[in-house]
Amino acid sequence: MRNTSRLFTALASAVFSAGVLAQAALPLVDGEVRKVDLSAQKITLKHGEIKNLDMPGMSMVFKVKDPALLDKVKAGDRVQFTAEDVNGALTVVSIERVAP
């Protein structure tokens, strides 16, 4: 029983660490907030290249992984963000304002 508990703890730790590393590996992308839609939980960004999505710079609408991210920014803010494909939807995973 004790070995099973240790094995479970080790597996849980490995899974958690892999998730943290995967998110940390996402490249930061420079962008500008064009619109924040709180009710739809979406954000419109004019952004540079998103290498992990093989996407050139453009303006587009993204979903957000956590709606609280939208409280951090407003239209016109310069930002750095990470994005990934979550179940077929391009999604902002993290976002931070950048000082002008």
Side-chain angles (χ1 to χ4, degrees), residues 6 8 19 37 80 88:
R6 286 184 184 159
F8 177 76
D37 188 339
Q80 285 192 321

Side-chain angles (χ1 to χ4, degrees), residues 47-62:
H47 62 81
E49 179 183 12
I50 305 176
K51 293 182 180 183
N52 61 304
L53 297 175
D54 194 28
M55 179 182 296
M58 64 178 77
S59 292
M60 64 174 293
V61 178
F62 293 86

Side-chain angles (χ1 to χ4, degrees), residues 1-14:
M1 183 71 164
R2 188 171 271 177
N3 286 339
T4 302
S5 177
R6 286 184 184 159
L7 178 61
F8 177 76
T9 301
L11 287 173
S13 178

